[in-house]
């Protein structure tokens, strides 16, 4: 920059000296002519000097302007160099960031590959769960059929046993009535028997006493015979009282035995009635359990939708609905009884859409399916075991995404059954 300034100064110094020498040379060579031309040429010379002065002033101004421009250019170049240096630093920083982004992108690609592999593994596991659920449902149906057959056989056997028990109860009732009648007859006949025997023996004794009184006074022998007869009569009376006492004891013992037998029969009858009541309660309980185990449903959708993004996913196609717990109009399952229930949902996303669905219990989200948009027609599935009270509701609710895929044989389905 300083070299350029020196060249400019040198150029300015050369220009005036040259012009002066030209003018001077002109004056020396043309001296005779000037003397001849006079004042007119002097005026021309003055005009030339004035023009030269003006030219020098203009050149000085231009030189100053040029120097100022050079200074400004130097400052601009310094600023540009600084900006260039900053730009180089920024470019270097951007290159580092680009490298970091490439590294992070590579890591993300690797993670995406791992996630895709894990998703495939999870998808296969969900397929296995679905197969297991199908097997469990099939086993549950077989078990339910087996239980129903057992219940039918048990009901048949129970009917036969009940008929036999009813016949035995009727027989025991008739026997008890006969026994009560016989006991009443015995209780009624004992006083009559005692009275008749007492009357008979009283008559005999009175007759004997009359005969004795009649014959007492006839002879002494008769008196001796009378004493003997009285002694014999006392012995006979003692024997008679003993016989009567034995008969009464035997009768009382027999009556007590009959009464005890009657009480035992009554106890047997009461036990039989209690057994029948317990059996009736067990049958009611078994019928209740049988009705509980018959709660199950499988529903689905038979058409696809690429834009569905509603609230509750309604499954209008009913495959089974034992117990009528599922409502195909609202899409909600209402528990008809208390118990532990198993629910299972399977959904296919439409095309490359993502779709997330939740199994909801009384408004509380419990588990979620995932159909990710990393591939087309992804399957999302999940299962929940929930304790429900009678009247509780369970349904499928959208969390995120849109669209589902199905066909005339349902692919997107919702199932559940009462476990116990």
């Amino acid at each position: 920059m300083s070299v350029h300034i020196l060249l400019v100064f040198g150029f300015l110094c050369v220009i005036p000296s040259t012009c002066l020498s030209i003018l001077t040379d002109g004056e020396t060579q043309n001296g005779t002519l000037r003397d001849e031309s006079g004042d007119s040429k002097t005026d021309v010379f003055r005009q030339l000097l004035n023009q030269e002065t003006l030219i020098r002033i203009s050149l000085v101004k231009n030189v100053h302007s040029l120097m100022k421009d050079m200074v400004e250019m130097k400052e601009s170049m310094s600023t540009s160099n600084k900006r260039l240096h900053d730009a180089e630093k920024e470019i270097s920083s951007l290159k580092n960031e680009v490298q970091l982004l490439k590294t992070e992108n590579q890591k993300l690609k690797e993670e995406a590959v791992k996630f895709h592999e894990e998703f495939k593994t999870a998808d296969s596991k969900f397929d296995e769960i679905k197969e297991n659920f199908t097997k469990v449902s099939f086993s549950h149906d077989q078990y339910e059929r087996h239980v129903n057959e057992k219940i039918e056989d048990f009901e048949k056997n129970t009917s036969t046993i009940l008929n036999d028990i009813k016949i035995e109860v009727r027989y025991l009732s008739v026997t008890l009535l006969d026994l009560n009648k016989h006991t009443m007859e015995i209780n009624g006949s004992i006083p009559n028997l005692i009275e008749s025997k007492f009357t008979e023996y009283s008559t005999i004794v009175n007759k004997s006493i009359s005969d004795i009184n009649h014959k007492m006074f006839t002879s002494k022998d008769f008196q001796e015979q009378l004493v003997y007869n009285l002694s014999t009569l006392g012995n006979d009376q003692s024997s008679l009282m003993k016989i009567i006492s034995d008969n009464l004891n035997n009768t009382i013992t027999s009556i007590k035995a009959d009464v005890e037998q009657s009480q035992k029969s009554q106890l047997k009858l009461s036990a039989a009635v209690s057994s029948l009541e317990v059996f009736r309660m067990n049958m009611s309980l078994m019928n209740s359990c049988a009705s509980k185990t018959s709660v199950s449903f499988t529903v689905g959708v038979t058409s696809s939708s690429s834009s569905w993004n509603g609230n509750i996913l309604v499954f209008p196609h009913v495959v089974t609905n034992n117990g009528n717990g599922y409502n195909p109009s609202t899409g909600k399952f209402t528990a008809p009884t208390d118990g532990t229930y198993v629910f299972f949902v399977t959904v296919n996303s439409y095309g490359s859409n993502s779709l997330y669905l939740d199994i909801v219990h009384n408004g509380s989200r419990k588990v979620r399916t995932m159909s990710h948009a990393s591939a087309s027609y992804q399957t999302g599935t999940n299962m929940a075991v929930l304790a429900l009270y009678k009247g509780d509701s369970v349904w499928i609710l959208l969390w995120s995404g849109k669209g589902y895929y199905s066909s005339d044989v349902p692919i997107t389905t919702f199932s559940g059954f009462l476990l116990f």
Side-chain angles (χ1 to χ4, degrees):
M1 188 72 179
S2 60
V3 174
H4 292 291
I5 294 172
L6 292 174
L7 289 175
V8 171
F9 274 111
F11 176 74
L12 292 175
C13 295
V14 169
I15 289 173
S17 60
T18 306
C19 293
L20 184 61
S21 63
I22 293 172
L23 293 174
T24 307
D25 291 340
E27 290 178 355
T28 305
Q29 293 175 2
N30 295 323
T32 305
L33 293 174
R34 184 177 294 175
D35 292 337
E36 293 177 357
S37 60
D39 294 334
S40 60
K41 290 184 179 180
T42 303
D43 294 334
V44 171
F45 179 74
R46 287 177 180 176
Q47 290 177 359
L48 291 174
L49 287 176
N50 289 332
Q51 289 178 359
E52 181 182 5
T53 303
L54 292 173
I55 290 170
R56 285 183 180 182
I57 292 170
S58 177
L59 287 174
V60 170
K61 288 181 179 180
N62 291 334
V63 168
H64 284 294
S65 177
L66 183 61
M67 289 178 66
K68 185 177 180 181
D69 291 339
M70 292 292 290
V71 171
E72 289 177 355
M73 187 180 295
K74 183 178 180 182
E75 291 177 355
S76 177
M77 288 181 66
S78 176
T79 304
S80 298
N81 289 331
K82 186 177 179 180
R83 289 179 179 176
L84 180 62
H85 183 67
D86 293 338
E88 288 177 352
K89 287 183 179 180
E90 189 174 356
I91 290 170
S92 177
S93 177
L94 290 174
K95 286 181 179 180
N96 293 330
E97 290 180 1
V98 168
Q99 187 64 32
L100 291 174
L101 288 174
K102 288 182 178 179
T103 306
E104 188 175 356
N105 190 21
Q106 184 65 28
K107 289 181 180 179
L108 289 174
K109 287 182 179 179
E110 293 176 356
E111 290 179 358
V113 172
K114 290 181 181 179
F115 176 77
H116 191 64
E117 292 177 355
E118 291 177 357
F119 186 76
K120 286 183 178 179
T121 305
D123 196 11
S124 63
K125 288 183 179 179
F126 280 128
D127 291 337
E128 292 178 0
I129 292 173
K130 186 176 180 180
E131 292 177 359
N132 293 332
F133 180 77
T134 305
K135 292 179 181 178
V136 168
S137 299
F138 181 72
S139 301
H140 176 72
D141 293 337
Q142 286 185 338
Y143 175 75
E144 188 175 353
R145 287 195 294 270
H146 180 69
V147 169
N148 291 331
E149 292 175 357
K150 291 290 185 182
I151 290 173
E152 290 177 358
D153 294 338
F154 182 73
E155 287 178 351
K156 291 179 181 178
N157 296 330
T158 302
S159 300
T160 305
I161 294 170
L162 281 174
N163 292 328
D164 294 339
I165 291 173
K166 288 179 181 177
I167 294 170
E168 186 176 355
V169 168
R170 291 194 189 98
Y171 176 73
L172 288 173
S173 300
V174 173
T175 304
L176 184 60
L177 291 173
D178 292 338
L179 182 59
N180 289 330
K181 184 177 179 182
H182 181 63
T183 302
M184 292 175 66
E185 290 176 354
I186 291 173
N187 291 330
S189 64
I190 287 174
N192 295 327
L193 179 62
I194 292 173
E195 186 177 358
S196 62
K197 290 292 184 182
F198 183 75
T199 303
E200 182 180 355
Y201 283 114
S202 297
T203 303
I204 293 171
V205 170
N206 290 329
K207 186 178 181 181
S208 299
I209 291 172
S210 297
D211 292 338
I212 289 168
N213 288 328
H214 180 70
K215 293 179 180 179
M216 272 184 69
F217 304 103
T218 57
S219 64
K220 186 177 181 180
D221 294 335
F222 181 75
Q223 290 180 355
E224 292 177 355
Q225 185 65 36
L226 179 60
V227 172
Y228 177 75
N229 288 334
L230 289 172
S231 178
T232 303
L233 181 61
N235 292 329
D236 291 338
Q237 187 177 3
S238 298
S239 299
L240 181 61
M241 292 300 292
K242 185 177 181 181
I243 290 170
I244 292 172
S245 178
D246 291 340
N247 287 332
L248 286 173
N249 290 331
N250 291 331
T251 303
I252 291 170
T253 302
S254 177
I255 291 171
K256 287 182 178 180
D258 292 338
V259 171
E260 289 179 356
Q261 185 66 31
S262 176
Q263 290 177 348
K264 289 181 180 179
S265 298
Q266 287 181 350
L267 290 174
K268 287 182 180 179
L269 183 61
S270 299
V273 172
S274 299
S275 299
L276 285 174
E277 184 65 22
V278 171
F279 180 76
R280 185 186 66 78
M281 292 175 65
N282 290 333
M283 285 297 296
S284 299
L285 183 61
M286 289 184 65
N287 290 331
S288 177
C289 292
S291 63
K292 280 187 177 182
T293 55
S294 62
V295 179
S296 59
F297 72 94
T298 295
V299 293
V301 291
T302 55
S303 61
S304 302
S305 174
S306 61
S307 60
W308 177 85
N309 59 353
N311 191 12
I312 297 176
L313 180 56
V314 178
F315 299 85
H317 180 74
V318 177
V319 180
T320 57
N321 192 13
N322 297 325
N324 295 321
Y326 179 79
N327 188 339
S329 298
T330 62
K332 292 185 177 182
F333 169 80
T334 303
T337 183
D338 298 347
T340 301
Y341 291 78
V342 178
F343 296 96
F344 192 88
V345 61
T346 300
V347 60
N348 263 61
S349 62
Y350 191 92
S352 59
N353 293 344
S354 63
L355 185 62
Y356 298 85
L357 299 178
D358 294 344
I359 296 179
V360 179
H361 173 208
N362 288 344
S364 175
R365 299 174 187 265
K366 297 300 181 181
V367 296
R368 178 169 297 159
T369 68
M370 181 181 73
S371 302
H372 197 266
S374 59
S376 298
Y377 299 98
Q378 291 290 297
T379 299
T381 182
N382 215 328
M383 182 175 67
V385 179
L386 303 175
L388 305 183
Y389 293 104
K390 183 177 179 180
D392 285 359
S393 296
V394 177
W395 62 89
I396 304 302
L397 186 64
L398 175 69
W399 182 73
S400 177
K402 66 177 182 177
Y404 57 83
Y405 178 79
S406 192
S407 66
D408 54 349
V409 177
I411 297 174
T412 298
T413 60
F414 179 34
S415 300
F417 63 88
L418 175 62
L419 186 60
F420 57 83

